[in-house]
Amino acid sequence: AAAWFVLTRPAVRRWIAAQLWKMPAVGERLRVYELSRFYRTLGMLLKSGVALPAALDMAGGLLPPLLRHALQRAAREVREGQPVSRAFARQGLTTQVSLRLLGVGEQTGRMPQMVERSARFYEDELARWIDWFTRLFEPALMVLVGALVGLIVVLLYLPIFGLAENMK
């Protein structure tokens, strides 16, 4: 009950989220996850005919505060005439692959398709990582469960062995 009470507090949840973002492997995966959601939404908005500055503002609501501030700075740069790829790269809103895809989208005029392709790339990368993690985690979990069951069995039999020894 105490753990539930503590975990329902917004300040505690923000602190836990901040700690997760600081972890090297987990933080990068969270960033990729958030960027995939952002790129997917941005691509859909651009495909439906929404102008890029307005689409950036609308899709920015999906991002966590850290990335949202970076997006606001990037959107300001885009409004000032900077290419999207350069603004996103400067603010840390892309990886090397999506940077190239955005550049191709700018040159060919197929920005919505390239943004969606970036989202698909991020989603595939996340799927691969989750698959790798589960393949690693399942055997470790089985060993842990086996050790726990073994410990319970030993703890159940110890009193019986103690009684049998005392009866001699």
Side-chain angles (χ1 to χ4, degrees), residues 8-74:
T8 58
R9 301 289 143 226
V12 172
R13 294 174 78 181
R14 279 193 301 272
W15 181 83
I16 291 172
Q19 298 309 311
L20 286 173
W21 275 84
K22 289 178 185 176
M23 295 173 69
V26 176
E28 180 59 27
R29 298 302 171 243
L30 287 173
R31 181 176 164 273
V32 167
Y33 170 72
E34 295 294 345
L35 287 177
S36 73
R37 290 178 49 207
F38 168 69
Y39 277 111
R40 176 69 62 195
T41 305
L42 183 63
M44 286 190 292
L45 288 170
L46 291 174
K47 262 189 174 177
S48 66
V50 177
L52 181 63
L56 289 174
D57 291 339
M58 285 187 233
L62 292 173
L63 295 173
L66 178 69
L67 293 177
R68 191 175 308 138
H69 296 305
L71 177 65
Q72 290 169 349
R73 291 189 300 270

Side-chain angles (χ1 to χ4, degrees), residues 124-161:
D124 291 344
E125 184 178 331
L126 280 172
R128 282 190 301 275
W129 187 80
I130 289 170
D131 184 51
W132 172 82
F133 181 76
T134 55
R135 288 176 191 247
L136 177 72
F137 186 69
E138 283 176 0
L141 185 63
M142 293 303 288
V143 167
L144 181 67
V145 168
L148 186 63
V149 168
L151 178 68
I152 290 171
V153 168
V154 167
L155 291 175
L156 286 172
Y157 278 111
L158 280 177
I160 294 171
F161 292 141

Side-chain angles (χ1 to χ4, degrees), residues 77-89:
E77 290 179 20
V78 168
R79 285 186 186 97
E80 293 171 356
Q82 294 292 320
V84 177
S85 59
R86 188 178 304 151
F88 278 19

